[in-house]
Coordinates of all heavy atoms in Angstrom, one line a residue:
Chain A
M15 N 16.9 -11.3 -23.9 CA 15.6 -10.9 -23.5 C 15.0 -12.0 -22.4 O 14.1 -11.8 -21.7 CB 14.6 -11.1 -24.7 CG 13.2 -10.3 -24.6 SD 13.3 -8.7 -24.0 CE 11.7 -8.2 -23.8
A16 N 15.8 -13.1 -22.2 CA 15.3 -14.1 -21.3 C 15.3 -13.7 -19.9 O 14.4 -14.0 -19.1 CB 16.1 -15.4 -21.5
D17 N 16.5 -13.0 -19.5 CA 16.6 -12.8 -18.0 C 15.8 -11.5 -17.5 O 16.0 -11.1 -16.4 CB 18.0 -12.8 -17.6 CG 18.8 -11.7 -18.3 OD1 18.2 -11.0 -19.2 OD2 20.0 -11.5 -18.0
Q18 N 15.1 -10.9 -18.4 CA 14.4 -9.6 -17.9 C 13.2 -10.1 -17.1 O 12.5 -11.1 -17.3 CB 14.0 -8.9 -19.1 CG 13.7 -7.4 -18.7 CD 13.2 -6.5 -19.9 OE1 12.6 -7.0 -20.9 NE2 13.6 -5.3 -20.0
S19 N 12.9 -9.2 -16.1 CA 11.7 -9.4 -15.2 C 10.5 -9.2 -16.0 O 10.5 -8.5 -17.0 CB 11.8 -8.7 -14.0 OG 11.5 -7.3 -14.3
L20 N 9.3 -9.6 -15.4 CA 8.1 -9.4 -16.0 C 7.8 -7.9 -16.1 O 7.2 -7.5 -17.2 CB 7.0 -10.1 -15.2 CG 7.0 -11.6 -15.3 CD1 5.9 -12.3 -14.3 CD2 6.7 -12.1 -16.7
S21 N 8.2 -7.2 -15.1 CA 7.8 -5.8 -15.2 C 8.9 -5.0 -16.0 O 8.7 -3.8 -16.3 CB 7.9 -5.2 -13.7 OG 9.2 -5.3 -13.1
G22 N 10.1 -5.6 -16.2 CA 11.1 -4.9 -16.9 C 12.1 -4.2 -15.9 O 13.1 -3.8 -16.3
L23 N 11.7 -4.2 -14.7 CA 12.7 -3.7 -13.7 C 13.7 -4.6 -13.4 O 13.6 -5.8 -13.3 CB 12.0 -3.2 -12.3 CG 11.3 -1.8 -12.2 CD1 10.3 -1.7 -13.2 CD2 11.0 -1.5 -10.9
T24 N 14.9 -4.1 -13.1 CA 16.1 -4.9 -12.6 C 15.9 -5.1 -11.1 O 15.1 -4.4 -10.5 CB 17.5 -4.2 -12.8 OG1 17.5 -3.0 -12.0 CG2 17.6 -3.8 -14.3
E25 N 16.6 -6.1 -10.5 CA 16.6 -6.3 -9.1 C 16.8 -5.0 -8.3 O 16.3 -4.7 -7.3 CB 17.6 -7.5 -8.8 CG 17.6 -7.8 -7.3 CD 18.3 -9.0 -6.9 OE1 18.4 -10.0 -7.8 OE2 18.9 -9.3 -5.8
Q26 N 18.1 -4.4 -8.8 CA 18.4 -3.2 -8.1 C 17.3 -2.2 -8.1 O 17.0 -1.5 -7.1 CB 19.7 -2.6 -8.8 CG 20.1 -1.2 -8.5 CD 20.6 -1.1 -7.0 OE1 20.9 -2.1 -6.4 NE2 20.4 0.1 -6.4
Q27 N 16.6 -1.9 -9.3 CA 15.6 -0.9 -9.4 C 14.5 -1.3 -8.5 O 13.8 -0.5 -7.8 CB 15.2 -0.8 -10.8 CG 16.0 -0.1 -11.8 CD 15.7 -0.2 -13.2 OE1 15.1 -1.3 -13.6 NE2 15.9 0.8 -13.9
A28 N 14.1 -2.6 -8.5 CA 12.9 -3.1 -7.6 C 13.2 -2.8 -6.2 O 12.4 -2.3 -5.4 CB 12.7 -4.6 -8.0
K29 N 14.5 -3.1 -5.7 CA 14.8 -2.9 -4.3 C 14.8 -1.4 -3.9 O 14.3 -1.1 -2.9 CB 16.1 -3.6 -4.0 CG 16.1 -5.2 -3.9 CD 17.4 -5.7 -3.6 CE 17.3 -7.2 -3.4 NZ 18.5 -7.9 -3.2
E30 N 15.4 -0.7 -4.9 CA 15.5 0.7 -4.6 C 14.0 1.4 -4.6 O 13.7 2.2 -3.6 CB 16.2 1.4 -5.8 CG 17.0 2.6 -5.5 CD 17.9 3.0 -6.7 OE1 18.6 2.3 -7.1 OE2 17.6 4.2 -7.1
F31 N 13.2 1.0 -5.4 CA 11.8 1.6 -5.4 C 11.2 1.1 -4.2 O 10.3 1.8 -3.6 CB 11.0 1.1 -6.6 CG 9.6 1.6 -6.6 CD1 9.2 2.8 -6.9 CD2 8.5 0.7 -6.2 CE1 7.9 3.3 -6.9 CE2 7.2 1.1 -6.1 CZ 7.0 2.4 -6.4
H32 N 11.3 -0.1 -3.7 CA 10.6 -0.7 -2.6 C 11.0 0.0 -1.3 O 10.2 0.2 -0.5 CB 10.9 -2.2 -2.4 CG 10.0 -2.9 -1.5 ND1 8.5 -2.9 -1.7 CD2 10.2 -3.5 -0.4 CE1 8.0 -3.6 -0.7 NE2 9.0 -4.0 0.1
E33 N 12.2 0.5 -1.3 CA 12.7 1.3 -0.1 C 11.8 2.5 0.0 O 11.4 2.8 1.2 CB 14.2 1.6 -0.2 CG 15.1 0.4 0.1 CD 14.7 -0.3 1.4 OE1 14.7 0.4 2.4 OE2 14.5 -1.5 1.4
Q34 N 11.6 3.2 -1.1 CA 10.9 4.5 -1.0 C 9.4 4.1 -0.8 O 8.7 4.8 0.0 CB 10.9 5.2 -2.4 CG 10.2 6.5 -2.4 CD 10.4 7.5 -1.4 OE1 11.6 7.9 -1.2 NE2 9.5 7.8 -0.5
F35 N 9.0 3.0 -1.4 CA 7.5 2.6 -1.2 C 7.3 2.4 0.3 O 6.3 2.8 0.9 CB 7.2 1.3 -2.0 CG 5.8 0.9 -2.0 CD1 5.0 1.5 -2.9 CD2 5.3 0.1 -1.1 CE1 3.6 1.1 -3.0 CE2 4.0 -0.3 -1.1 CZ 3.0 0.3 -2.1
K36 N 8.1 1.7 0.9 CA 8.0 1.5 2.4 C 7.9 2.8 3.2 O 7.1 2.9 4.1 CB 9.1 0.6 3.0 CG 9.1 -0.9 2.4 CD 10.0 -1.8 3.1 CE 11.4 -1.6 2.9 NZ 12.3 -2.5 3.4
V37 N 8.8 3.6 2.8 CA 8.8 5.0 3.6 C 7.4 5.7 3.5 O 6.8 6.1 4.4 CB 10.0 5.9 3.1 CG1 9.8 7.3 3.7 CG2 11.3 5.3 3.5
T38 N 7.0 5.8 2.2 CA 5.8 6.5 1.9 C 4.5 5.8 2.6 O 3.7 6.4 3.1 CB 5.5 6.6 0.4 OG1 6.7 7.2 -0.2 CG2 4.4 7.5 0.1
Y39 N 4.6 4.5 2.5 CA 3.5 3.7 3.1 C 3.5 3.8 4.5 O 2.4 3.9 5.2 CB 3.6 2.2 2.7 CG 2.4 1.4 3.1 CD1 1.2 1.6 2.6 CD2 2.6 0.6 4.2 CE1 0.1 0.8 3.1 CE2 1.5 -0.2 4.7 CZ 0.3 0.0 4.1 OH -0.9 -0.8 4.6
T40 N 4.6 3.8 5.2 CA 4.7 3.9 6.6 C 4.2 5.3 7.1 O 3.4 5.5 8.0 CB 6.1 3.7 7.1 OG1 6.7 2.5 6.7 CG2 6.2 3.9 8.6
A41 N 4.5 6.4 6.2 CA 4.0 7.7 6.6 C 2.4 7.7 6.4 O 1.7 8.2 7.3 CB 4.6 8.7 5.7
F42 N 2.0 7.0 5.4 CA 0.5 7.0 5.2 C -0.2 6.3 6.4 O -1.2 6.8 7.0 CB 0.2 6.2 3.9 CG -1.3 5.9 3.7 CD1 -2.2 6.9 3.2 CD2 -1.9 4.6 4.0 CE1 -3.5 6.6 3.0 CE2 -3.2 4.4 3.8 CZ -4.0 5.4 3.3
V43 N 0.3 5.2 6.9 CA -0.2 4.5 8.0 C -0.2 5.2 9.2 O -1.1 5.4 10.0 CB 0.4 3.1 8.2 CG1 0.1 2.4 9.4 CG2 0.2 2.2 7.0
G44 N 1.0 5.9 9.4 CA 1.1 6.8 10.6 C 0.1 7.9 10.6 O -0.6 8.2 11.7
L45 N -0.1 8.5 9.5 CA -1.2 9.7 9.4 C -2.5 9.1 9.7 O -3.3 9.7 10.3 CB -1.1 10.4 8.1 CG 0.0 11.5 7.9 CD1 0.2 11.9 6.5 CD2 -0.4 12.6 8.8
A46 N -2.8 7.9 9.1 CA -4.1 7.3 9.2 C -4.4 7.0 10.7 O -5.4 7.3 11.3 CB -4.3 6.2 8.4
A47 N -3.3 6.5 11.4 CA -3.4 6.1 12.7 C -3.7 7.4 13.6 O -4.6 7.4 14.5 CB -2.2 5.4 13.3
L48 N -3.0 8.5 13.3 CA -3.1 9.8 14.0 C -4.6 10.3 13.8 O -5.3 10.6 14.7 CB -2.2 10.8 13.4 CG -2.2 12.2 14.2 CD1 -1.6 11.9 15.6 CD2 -1.3 13.2 13.4
A49 N -5.1 10.2 12.5 CA -6.5 10.6 12.2 C -7.5 9.8 13.1 O -8.4 10.3 13.7 CB -6.8 10.5 10.8
H50 N -7.2 8.5 13.2 CA -8.2 7.6 13.9 C -8.1 8.0 15.5 O -9.1 8.1 16.1 CB -7.8 6.2 13.8 CG -8.2 5.6 12.5 ND1 -7.6 5.8 11.2 CD2 -9.4 4.9 12.2 CE1 -8.2 5.2 10.3 NE2 -9.3 4.7 10.8
L51 N -6.9 8.4 15.9 CA -6.8 8.8 17.4 C -7.6 10.1 17.6 O -8.2 10.2 18.6 CB -5.3 9.0 17.7 CG -4.5 7.6 17.8 CD1 -3.1 8.0 18.2 CD2 -5.1 6.7 18.9
F52 N -7.5 11.0 16.6 CA -8.3 12.2 16.8 C -9.8 11.9 16.8 O -10.6 12.4 17.7 CB -8.1 13.2 15.6 CG -6.7 13.9 15.7 CD1 -6.1 14.2 14.6 CD2 -6.2 14.2 17.0 CE1 -4.8 14.9 14.6 CE2 -5.0 14.9 17.0 CZ -4.3 15.2 15.9
V53 N -10.3 10.9 15.9 CA -11.7 10.6 16.0 C -12.1 10.0 17.3 O -13.1 10.3 17.7 CB -12.0 9.7 14.7 CG1 -13.4 9.2 14.9 CG2 -11.9 10.5 13.4
I54 N -11.2 9.2 17.7 CA -11.5 8.4 18.9 C -11.6 9.5 20.2 O -12.5 9.4 21.0 CB -10.4 7.3 19.2 CG1 -10.6 6.2 18.4 CG2 -10.5 6.9 20.8 CD1 -9.4 5.1 18.5
A55 N -10.7 10.4 20.2 CA -10.7 11.4 21.2 C -12.0 12.3 21.1 O -12.6 12.5 22.1 CB -9.5 12.4 21.1
A56 N -12.4 12.6 19.8 CA -13.5 13.5 19.7 C -14.9 12.8 19.8 O -15.9 13.1 20.3 CB -13.5 14.2 18.3
N57 N -14.9 11.5 19.1 CA -16.3 10.9 19.0 C -16.0 9.4 18.9 O -16.2 8.8 17.8 CB -16.9 11.5 17.7 CG -18.3 10.9 17.5 OD1 -18.8 10.3 18.4 ND2 -18.8 11.1 16.2
P58 N -15.7 8.6 19.9 CA -15.5 7.2 19.8 C -16.7 6.5 19.2 O -17.8 6.9 19.5 CB -15.2 6.8 21.3 CG -15.6 7.9 22.2 CD -15.6 9.1 21.3
W59 N -16.4 5.5 18.4 CA -17.6 4.9 17.6 C -18.0 3.6 18.3 O -18.7 2.8 17.7 CB -17.1 4.6 16.2 CG -15.8 3.7 16.0 CD1 -15.7 2.4 16.1 CD2 -14.6 4.2 15.9 NE1 -14.5 2.0 16.0 CE2 -13.7 3.2 15.8 CE3 -14.0 5.5 15.8 CZ2 -12.3 3.1 15.7 CZ3 -12.6 5.6 15.6 CH2 -11.8 4.5 15.7
W60 N -17.7 3.4 19.6 CA -18.1 2.2 20.3 C -18.8 2.8 21.6 O -18.7 3.9 22.0 CB -17.0 1.3 20.7 CG -15.9 1.9 21.5 CD1 -15.9 2.0 22.9 CD2 -14.8 2.4 21.1 NE1 -14.7 2.6 23.2 CE2 -14.0 2.9 22.1 CE3 -14.2 2.6 19.8 CZ2 -12.7 3.5 22.1 CZ3 -13.0 3.3 19.6 CH2 -12.3 3.7 20.7
Chain B
M208 N 8.1 -30.3 -8.3 CA 7.5 -29.0 -7.9 C 8.1 -28.6 -6.5 O 8.1 -27.4 -6.2 CB 6.0 -29.1 -8.0 CG 5.2 -27.8 -7.8 SD 6.0 -26.7 -9.0 CE 4.9 -25.2 -8.5
S209 N 8.6 -29.6 -5.7 CA 8.9 -29.2 -4.3 C 10.2 -28.5 -4.3 O 10.5 -27.9 -3.3 CB 9.0 -30.5 -3.5 OG 10.2 -31.1 -4.1
D210 N 11.0 -28.4 -5.5 CA 12.3 -27.8 -5.3 C 12.2 -26.3 -5.5 O 13.1 -25.5 -5.6 CB 13.3 -28.4 -6.3 CG 12.8 -28.3 -7.7 OD1 11.6 -27.9 -7.8 OD2 13.5 -28.6 -8.6
V211 N 10.9 -25.8 -5.7 CA 10.8 -24.4 -5.9 C 10.9 -23.7 -4.6 O 10.3 -24.1 -3.6 CB 9.4 -24.1 -6.5 CG1 9.0 -22.6 -6.5 CG2 9.2 -24.7 -7.8
A212 N 11.7 -22.5 -4.6 CA 12.0 -21.9 -3.3 C 10.7 -21.2 -2.7 O 10.0 -20.6 -3.4 CB 13.1 -20.7 -3.5
K213 N 10.5 -21.4 -1.5 CA 9.2 -20.8 -0.8 C 9.6 -19.3 -0.6 O 10.7 -19.0 -0.1 CB 8.9 -21.5 0.5 CG 8.3 -22.9 0.3 CD 7.5 -23.2 1.6 CE 6.6 -24.5 1.4 NZ 6.9 -25.3 0.2
P214 N 8.6 -18.5 -0.9 CA 8.9 -17.0 -0.6 C 8.9 -16.8 1.0 O 8.3 -17.4 1.7 CB 7.7 -16.3 -1.1 CG 6.6 -17.3 -1.3 CD 7.3 -18.6 -1.5
K215 N 9.8 -15.8 1.4 CA 9.8 -15.4 2.8 C 9.5 -13.9 2.8 O 10.2 -13.1 2.1 CB 11.2 -15.7 3.3 CG 11.3 -16.9 4.3 CD 12.7 -17.0 5.0 CE 12.7 -16.0 6.2 NZ 11.6 -16.1 7.1
N216 N 8.4 -13.7 3.5 CA 8.0 -12.2 3.5 C 8.2 -11.7 5.0 O 8.1 -12.5 5.9 CB 6.5 -12.0 3.1 CG 6.4 -12.5 1.7 OD1 5.8 -13.5 1.4 ND2 6.8 -11.6 0.8
P217 N 8.5 -10.4 5.2 CA 8.6 -9.3 4.3 C 9.9 -9.2 3.5 O 10.0 -8.4 2.6 CB 8.4 -8.1 5.2 CG 8.9 -8.5 6.4 CD 8.6 -10.0 6.6
E218 N 10.9 -10.2 3.8 CA 12.2 -10.0 3.1 C 12.0 -10.0 1.6 O 12.7 -9.3 0.9 CB 13.1 -11.2 3.4 CG 13.5 -11.2 4.9 CD 12.4 -12.0 5.7 OE1 11.3 -12.2 5.2 OE2 12.9 -12.5 6.8
D219 N 11.0 -10.8 1.1 CA 11.0 -10.9 -0.5 C 9.9 -10.0 -1.0 O 9.5 -10.0 -2.2 CB 10.6 -12.4 -0.8 CG 11.7 -13.3 -0.7 OD1 12.9 -12.8 -0.5 OD2 11.5 -14.5 -0.5
D220 N 9.3 -9.1 -0.2 CA 8.2 -8.2 -0.6 C 8.6 -7.3 -1.9 O 7.8 -7.2 -2.8 CB 7.9 -7.2 0.4 CG 7.0 -7.8 1.6 OD1 6.7 -9.0 1.5 OD2 6.6 -7.1 2.5
W221 N 9.9 -6.9 -1.9 CA 10.4 -6.2 -3.0 C 10.2 -6.7 -4.4 O 10.1 -6.1 -5.4 CB 11.8 -5.7 -2.8 CG 12.8 -6.9 -2.8 CD1 13.1 -7.7 -1.8 CD2 13.4 -7.4 -4.0 NE1 14.0 -8.7 -2.2 CE2 14.1 -8.6 -3.5 CE3 13.4 -7.1 -5.4 CZ2 14.9 -9.4 -4.4 CZ3 14.1 -7.9 -6.3 CH2 14.8 -9.0 -5.7
K222 N 10.1 -8.1 -4.4 CA 10.0 -8.8 -5.7 C 8.6 -8.5 -6.4 O 8.6 -8.8 -7.6 CB 10.1 -10.3 -5.5 CG 11.6 -10.7 -5.0 CD 11.7 -12.1 -4.7 CE 13.1 -12.5 -4.2 NZ 13.3 -13.9 -4.0
I223 N 7.7 -7.9 -5.7 CA 6.4 -7.5 -6.4 C 6.7 -6.7 -7.6 O 6.0 -6.8 -8.6 CB 5.5 -6.9 -5.4 CG1 4.0 -6.7 -6.1 CG2 6.0 -5.7 -4.8 CD1 3.3 -8.0 -6.5
W224 N 7.8 -5.8 -7.4 CA 8.1 -4.8 -8.5 C 8.9 -5.5 -9.7 O 9.2 -4.8 -10.6 CB 8.8 -3.7 -7.9 CG 8.2 -3.1 -6.7 CD1 8.8 -3.1 -5.4 CD2 7.0 -2.5 -6.5 NE1 7.9 -2.5 -4.5 CE2 6.8 -2.2 -5.2 CE3 6.0 -2.4 -7.4 CZ2 5.6 -1.6 -4.8 CZ3 4.8 -1.7 -7.0 CH2 4.6 -1.4 -5.7
L225 N 9.2 -6.8 -9.5 CA 9.7 -7.5 -10.7 C 8.5 -8.0 -11.5 O 8.8 -8.5 -12.7 CB 10.6 -8.7 -10.2 CG 11.8 -8.4 -9.4 CD1 12.6 -9.6 -8.9 CD2 12.7 -7.5 -10.2
V226 N 7.3 -7.9 -11.0 CA 6.1 -8.4 -11.7 C 5.3 -7.1 -12.1 O 4.8 -7.0 -13.2 CB 5.3 -9.3 -10.9 CG1 4.0 -9.6 -11.5 CG2 6.1 -10.5 -10.5
V227 N 5.1 -6.3 -11.1 CA 4.2 -5.0 -11.3 C 5.2 -3.8 -11.5 O 6.0 -3.5 -10.7 CB 3.4 -4.8 -10.1 CG1 2.6 -3.4 -10.2 CG2 2.4 -5.9 -9.9
N228 N 5.1 -3.2 -12.7 CA 5.9 -2.1 -13.0 C 5.3 -0.8 -12.4 O 4.2 -0.3 -12.8 CB 6.2 -1.9 -14.5 CG 7.2 -0.9 -14.9 OD1 7.3 0.1 -14.1 ND2 7.8 -1.0 -15.9
P229 N 6.0 -0.2 -11.3 CA 5.4 1.0 -10.7 C 5.3 2.2 -11.6 O 4.4 3.0 -11.4 CB 6.4 1.2 -9.6 CG 7.6 0.5 -9.8 CD 7.2 -0.6 -10.7
A230 N 6.1 2.2 -12.7 CA 6.0 3.3 -13.7 C 4.6 3.3 -14.3 O 4.1 4.4 -14.7 CB 7.2 3.3 -14.7
T231 N 4.0 2.1 -14.4 CA 2.7 2.0 -15.0 C 1.7 1.9 -13.9 O 0.6 2.6 -14.1 CB 2.6 0.6 -15.8 OG1 3.7 0.5 -16.6 CG2 1.4 0.5 -16.5
W232 N 1.9 1.2 -12.8 CA 0.8 0.9 -11.9 C 0.8 1.8 -10.6 O -0.1 1.7 -9.8 CB 0.9 -0.5 -11.5 CG 0.5 -1.3 -12.8 CD1 1.4 -2.0 -13.6 CD2 -0.9 -1.4 -13.3 NE1 0.7 -2.7 -14.7 CE2 -0.7 -2.3 -14.4 CE3 -2.1 -1.0 -12.9 CZ2 -1.7 -2.6 -15.3 CZ3 -3.2 -1.4 -13.7 CH2 -3.0 -2.2 -14.9
L233 N 1.8 2.6 -10.3 CA 1.7 3.4 -9.0 C 0.6 4.3 -9.0 O -0.2 4.3 -7.9 CB 3.1 4.1 -8.8 CG 3.2 4.8 -7.5 CD1 3.2 3.7 -6.3 CD2 4.4 5.7 -7.2
M234 N 0.3 5.1 -9.9 CA -0.8 6.0 -9.8 C -2.2 5.3 -9.9 O -3.1 5.6 -9.1 CB -0.8 7.0 -11.0 CG 0.3 8.0 -10.8 SD 0.4 8.8 -9.2 CE -1.1 9.7 -9.1
P235 N -2.3 4.2 -10.7 CA -3.5 3.4 -10.6 C -3.8 2.9 -9.1 O -4.9 2.8 -8.6 CB -3.4 2.3 -11.6 CG -2.6 2.9 -12.6 CD -1.6 3.7 -11.9
I236 N -2.6 2.4 -8.5 CA -2.7 1.9 -7.1 C -3.2 3.1 -6.2 O -4.1 2.9 -5.3 CB -1.4 1.3 -6.7 CG1 -1.0 0.1 -7.4 CG2 -1.3 1.2 -5.2 CD1 0.4 -0.5 -7.2
F237 N -2.6 4.3 -6.4 CA -3.0 5.4 -5.5 C -4.4 5.8 -5.7 O -5.2 6.0 -4.8 CB -2.1 6.6 -5.9 CG -0.8 6.5 -5.2 CD1 0.2 7.4 -5.6 CD2 -0.5 5.7 -4.2 CE1 1.5 7.4 -5.0 CE2 0.8 5.6 -3.7 CZ 1.8 6.4 -4.1
F238 N -4.9 5.7 -7.0 CA -6.3 6.1 -7.3 C -7.2 5.0 -6.7 O -8.3 5.3 -6.1 CB -6.6 6.2 -8.8 CG -6.2 7.6 -9.3 CD1 -5.1 7.7 -10.2 CD2 -6.9 8.8 -8.9 CE1 -4.7 8.9 -10.6 CE2 -6.5 9.9 -9.4 CZ -5.4 10.0 -10.3
A239 N -6.8 3.7 -6.7 CA -7.7 2.7 -6.1 C -7.8 2.9 -4.7 O -8.8 2.7 -4.0 CB -7.1 1.3 -6.4
L240 N -6.6 3.4 -4.0 CA -6.6 3.7 -2.6 C -7.5 4.8 -2.3 O -8.3 4.8 -1.3 CB -5.2 4.1 -2.2 CG -4.8 4.0 -0.7 CD1 -5.1 2.6 0.0 CD2 -3.4 4.5 -0.5
L241 N -7.5 5.8 -3.2 CA -8.4 7.0 -2.9 C -9.8 6.6 -3.1 O -10.7 6.9 -2.1 CB -8.1 8.0 -4.1 CG -9.0 9.3 -4.0 CD1 -8.8 10.1 -2.7 CD2 -8.7 10.1 -5.2
V242 N -10.2 5.7 -4.0 CA -11.6 5.3 -4.1 C -12.0 4.5 -2.9 O -13.1 4.7 -2.5 CB -11.7 4.4 -5.4 CG1 -13.1 3.6 -5.4 CG2 -11.6 5.3 -6.7
L243 N -11.1 3.6 -2.4 CA -11.4 2.9 -1.2 C -11.6 3.8 -0.1 O -12.6 3.6 0.7 CB -10.3 1.9 -0.9 CG -10.4 1.1 0.3 CD1 -11.6 0.1 0.3 CD2 -9.1 0.3 0.5
A244 N -10.7 4.8 0.1 CA -11.0 5.7 1.2 C -12.2 6.5 1.1 O -13.0 6.6 2.2 CB -9.8 6.7 1.3
I245 N -12.6 6.9 0.0 CA -13.9 7.6 -0.2 C -15.0 6.7 0.1 O -15.9 7.0 0.9 CB -14.0 8.2 -1.6 CG1 -13.1 9.3 -1.9 CG2 -15.4 8.6 -1.9 CD1 -12.9 9.8 -3.2
A246 N -14.9 5.4 -0.4 CA -16.0 4.4 0.0 C -16.1 4.2 1.4 O -17.3 4.2 2.0 CB -15.7 3.1 -0.8
V247 N -15.0 4.1 2.1 CA -15.1 3.8 3.5 C -15.7 5.0 4.3 O -16.6 4.9 5.2 CB -13.6 3.5 4.2 CG1 -13.6 3.6 5.7 CG2 -13.2 2.2 3.7
H248 N -15.3 6.2 4.0 CA -15.8 7.4 4.6 C -17.3 7.5 4.3 O -18.1 7.9 5.1 CB -15.1 8.7 4.1 CG -13.8 8.9 4.7 ND1 -12.6 8.2 4.3 CD2 -13.4 9.6 5.8 CE1 -11.5 8.6 5.0 NE2 -12.0 9.4 6.0
W249 N -17.8 7.2 3.0 CA -19.1 7.2 2.7 C -19.9 6.4 3.5 O -21.0 6.7 4.1 CB -19.3 6.7 1.2 CG -20.6 7.0 0.6 CD1 -21.8 6.6 1.0 CD2 -20.8 7.8 -0.6 NE1 -22.7 6.9 0.2 CE2 -22.3 7.6 -0.8 CE3 -20.1 8.5 -1.4 CZ2 -22.8 8.3 -1.9 CZ3 -20.7 9.2 -2.5 CH2 -22.1 9.1 -2.8
V250 N -19.4 5.1 3.8 CA -20.2 4.1 4.7 C -20.2 4.6 6.1 O -21.3 4.7 6.7 CB -19.5 2.8 4.6 CG1 -20.1 1.9 5.7 CG2 -19.7 2.2 3.1
V251 N -19.1 5.1 6.5 CA -19.0 5.6 8.0 C -20.1 6.8 8.2 O -20.8 6.8 9.1 CB -17.6 6.0 8.3 CG1 -17.6 6.8 9.6 CG2 -16.7 4.9 8.4
F252 N -20.1 7.7 7.2 CA -21.1 8.7 7.4 C -22.6 8.3 7.2 O -23.5 8.6 7.8 CB -20.8 9.9 6.4 CG -19.8 10.8 6.9 CD1 -18.4 10.6 6.8 CD2 -20.2 12.0 7.6 CE1 -17.5 11.4 7.3 CE2 -19.2 12.8 8.1 CZ -17.8 12.5 8.0
A253 N -22.7 7.2 6.2 CA -24.0 6.7 5.9 C -24.7 6.0 7.1 O -25.8 6.1 7.4 CB -24.0 5.8 4.7
V254 N -23.7 5.4 8.0 CA -24.3 4.7 9.0 C -24.4 5.6 10.3 O -24.7 5.2 11.4 CB -23.5 3.5 9.5 CG1 -23.5 2.5 8.4 CG2 -22.1 3.8 9.8
G255 N -24.2 6.9 10.0 CA -24.4 7.9 11.1 C -23.3 8.1 12.1 O -23.4 8.7 13.1
L256 N -22.1 7.6 11.7 CA -20.9 7.8 12.6 C -20.2 9.0 12.4 O -19.2 9.3 12.9 CB -20.0 6.5 12.5 CG -20.5 5.3 13.3 CD1 -19.6 4.1 12.9 CD2 -20.6 5.5 14.8
G257 N -20.7 9.8 11.4 CA -20.0 11.0 11.0 C -20.2 12.0 12.1 O -20.9 11.8 13.1
W258 N -19.6 13.2 11.9 CA -19.7 14.3 12.9 C -21.1 14.8 13.0 O -21.8 14.9 11.8 CB -18.7 15.4 12.8 CG -18.7 16.0 11.4 CD1 -19.6 16.6 10.7 CD2 -17.6 15.9 10.6 NE1 -19.2 16.9 9.5 CE2 -17.9 16.5 9.3 CE3 -16.2 15.3 10.6 CZ2 -17.1 16.5 8.3 CZ3 -15.5 15.3 9.5 CH2 -15.8 15.9 8.3
Q259 N -21.7 14.9 14.1 CA -23.1 15.5 14.0 C -23.2 16.6 15.0 O -22.4 16.9 15.9 CB -24.2 14.4 14.3 CG -24.1 13.7 15.6 CD -23.4 12.4 15.3 OE1 -22.4 12.2 14.8 NE2 -24.0 11.2 15.9

């Protein structure tokens, strides 16, 4: 029980999950950036 | 205490999942993000920057 991580995930599982997390997060940031560009085009807030 | 390895990010970012179990916390993280997004939109509309 000593070498288990706090979350219970192995190093392999953590790295594997993080790869997917990065992809999904990048897509989220991309979509948010696109939405902001539409708002800037339609109605700039400055 | 000085012999403790200093983290290097983003290379070590994945280690968060050795502490936070996504099977438990991924959905709460998404719901917190949703609450934050709603709050930001609320403020933006409240200050009159919404579509008019």
Side-chain angles (χ1 to χ4, degrees):
Chain A
M15 198 49 181
D17 58 355
Q18 198 179 35
S19 71
L20 290 172
S21 66
L23 268 68
T24 64
E25 177 169 335
Q26 167 66 21
Q27 287 170 323
K29 284 181 173 173
E30 207 171 304
F31 177 78
H32 195 58
E33 285 309 309
Q34 177 60 57
F35 188 87
K36 286 190 292 188
V37 168
T38 307
Y39 183 72
T40 304
F42 173 78
V43 170
L45 276 171
L48 187 66
H50 282 80
L51 288 178
F52 283 147
V53 171
I54 289 171
N57 181 12
W59 55 86
W60 57 86
Chain B
M208 191 45 189
S209 62
D210 57 355
V211 173
K213 284 202 172 14
K215 255 189 77 52
N216 297 103
E218 295 87 341
D219 290 339
D220 283 359
W221 61 271
K222 293 181 180 176
I223 184 70
W224 311 117
L225 297 177
V226 177
V227 171
N228 187 333
T231 307
W232 292 102
L233 186 61
M234 288 314 289
I236 290 168
F237 281 167
F238 278 113
L240 195 60
L241 176 64
V242 167
L243 177 62
I245 291 172
V247 168
H248 282 82
W249 191 302
V250 168
V251 166
F252 276 84
V254 300
L256 284 173
W258 48 66
Q259 56 264 45

